[in-house]
Amino acid sequence: MKLRDVLLGCASVLACFSLNLSTASAQDCPRGDLDTRFCDVDGDLIADTPTDASQWLDPETLIFAYTPVEDPAVYKEAWSDFIEYLEEKTGKEVIFFPVQSNAAEIEAMRSGRLHIAGFNTGSNPLAVNCAGFNPFTIMASADGSYGYEMEIITYPGSGVEKVEDLRGKSLAFTSPTSNSGFKAPSAILKADFDMIPERDFEPTFSGKHDNSILGVANKDYVAASIANSVKFRMISRDVIKEDQVVTIYKSQTFPTTGFGVAYNLKPELQAQIKDAFFSFEWAGTSLETEFSKSNEGQFLPMNYKEFWDVIRKIDAANDVSYSCQ
């Protein structure tokens, strides 16, 4: 699966920004799976910040985007207190920009138009290798636990009681770059149940986790693969009732959304942004109000090489390519 195929049909405003970023010539340096624009001298699997100061970005206005799940208006408000704190720490205006697709978010950072972001679990490897995304934190509970599970859900009375009952029926995915919404269930269904799309069931794409969950709750979809953290938040907000959906499969725990910066931001600015994440006090804020619904209450330091190892293995099982070409 090539990134260019995923990017087709991208409809976000961010994705419509003109690409005024010139293609850098390939450098003679270690890079692993990274695009030829990047180097990875220290072997941490993410793009090194350029050593040439003339290549650093130090914009007056910083653009922040959160992975495209659920109602964008809800998350603009949820992040408002953190963005205000980020402005204090950096001395810059920070704009929250709601994106409509994972592909649009990746392309926005690749083009130099997105500076700080939370990329969903499945998009992290693509963002790292194609867009120069440098993730350094994820959300965690107060006790340090983190992550979510992929669930395959249906509705009561659907006639689907176990995974094998999906044969001959339809299964809603979210988007090709989503881990729990596509990549993990595809690998698991193939490896553990000998079930593949088109041959054994009819795949469809809803675009986002909330669309899939609402689709099942309203009986528009027979079944869907989703991130249960999104389901929990929707139940907490009374968007759906808990008894409207039934879980027929739950996976191992996966890392949740990774937050980080564009690789070529000025080092001092990167340090200020990291400090904002790790010194932010959640208590009584809009961020706590929203994300406590999925039992999250702090930003936990992480490294991409270790935390995303299982996701890269799932990508390998699905023959996913990180090539930007």
Side-chain angles (χ1 to χ4, degrees):
M1 184 185 300
K2 298 288 188 181
L3 178 62
R4 64 183 178 186
D5 297 325
V6 175
L7 293 176
L8 291 176
C10 177
S12 163
V13 175
L14 269 176
C16 296
F17 280 136
S18 60
L19 302 185
N20 64 353
L21 187 71
S22 61
T23 302
S25 58
Q27 306 172 66
D28 183 15
C29 62
R31 62 173 54 89
D33 290 331
L34 295 173
D35 186 70
T36 55
R37 293 188 297 150
F38 312 128
C39 289
D40 180 22
V41 175
D42 58 9
D44 62 0
L45 304 187
I46 61 176
D48 298 334
T49 299
T51 56
D52 183 352
S54 68
Q55 297 179 21
W56 297 342
L57 289 181
D58 189 20
E60 287 302 314
T61 300
L62 296 170
I63 307 298
F64 174 87
Y66 178 60
T67 182
V69 294
E70 306 167 69
D71 184 352
V74 169
Y75 284 88
K76 183 175 183 180
E77 172 59 29
W79 284 97
S80 60
D81 287 345
F82 176 79
I83 285 177
E84 182 177 337
Y85 186 69
L86 192 57
E87 290 179 328
E88 293 175 8
K89 284 291 185 178
T90 61
K92 296 177 182 291
E93 180 183 13
V94 180
I95 295 176
F96 179 88
F97 208 112
V99 290
Q100 300 302 314
S101 73
N102 299 318
E105 189 177 14
I106 291 171
E107 187 64 12
M109 182 162 283
R110 185 170 184 247
S111 69
R113 302 293 188 174
L114 178 61
H115 311 116
I116 312 165
F119 281 97
N120 74 356
T121 304
S123 291
N124 257 261
L126 287 169
V128 165
N129 287 283
C130 286
F133 177 53
N134 281 13
F136 55 80
T137 185
I138 61 174
M139 287 184 178
S141 65
D143 64 7
S145 59
Y146 63 88
Y148 70 96
E149 292 78 38
M150 179 275 291
E151 292 185 9
I152 298 178
I153 60 172
T154 186
Y155 56 84
S158 68
V160 176
E161 298 181 356
K162 57 184 183 300
V163 172
E164 291 86 347
D165 293 338
L166 289 172
R167 293 184 185 275
K169 298 181 174 64
S170 63
L171 176 64
F173 295 119
T174 58
S175 69
T177 57
S178 174
N179 179 63
S180 55
F182 179 68
K183 294 192 288 188
S186 296
I188 291 168
L189 288 170
K190 180 179 180 181
D192 295 349
F193 299 95
D194 188 30
M195 293 174 63
I196 60 175
E198 307 293 351
R199 188 192 73 184
D200 299 298
F201 61 90
E202 183 64 30
T204 187
F205 288 88
S206 71
K208 296 187 291 184
H209 289 275
D210 59 323
N211 292 345
S212 289
I213 295 166
L214 280 170
V216 171
N218 294 326
K219 302 182 181 181
D220 296 323
Y221 299 136
V222 173
S225 62
I226 55 95
N228 60 8
S229 57
V230 178
K231 183 187 74 173
F232 296 147
R233 291 196 295 270
M234 292 176 72
I235 291 171
S236 295
R237 291 204 309 273
D238 290 325
V239 177
I240 66 165
K241 301 296 183 183
E242 189 171 4
D243 61 4
Q244 286 182 276
V245 297
V246 177
T247 299
I248 61 171
Y249 182 89
K250 185 165 77 171
S251 73
Q252 69 182 91
T253 300
F254 297 121
T256 186
T257 299
F259 296 89
V261 297
Y263 82 107
N264 56 348
L265 290 185
K266 186 177 179 180
E268 290 83 356
L269 179 57
Q270 291 191 41
Q272 291 169 342
I273 294 168
K274 289 182 180 180
D275 180 56
F277 274 93
F278 294 132
S279 64
F280 181 71
E281 295 288 344
W282 285 56
T285 68
S286 57
L287 206 60
E288 181 193 45
T289 299
E290 178 58 31
F291 287 95
S292 62
K293 296 169 184 174
S294 49
N295 195 34
E296 290 162 317
Q298 66 168 315
F299 288 109
L300 183 74
M302 68 87 171
N303 69 80
Y304 169 77
K305 186 175 184 178
E306 175 186 345
F307 278 54
W308 257 258
D309 180 63
V310 64
I311 307 304
R312 294 192 298 273
K313 288 176 180 175
I314 289 172
D315 282 349
N318 287 323
D319 296 321
V320 172
S321 169
Y322 299 144
S323 172
C324 300
Q325 305 304 316

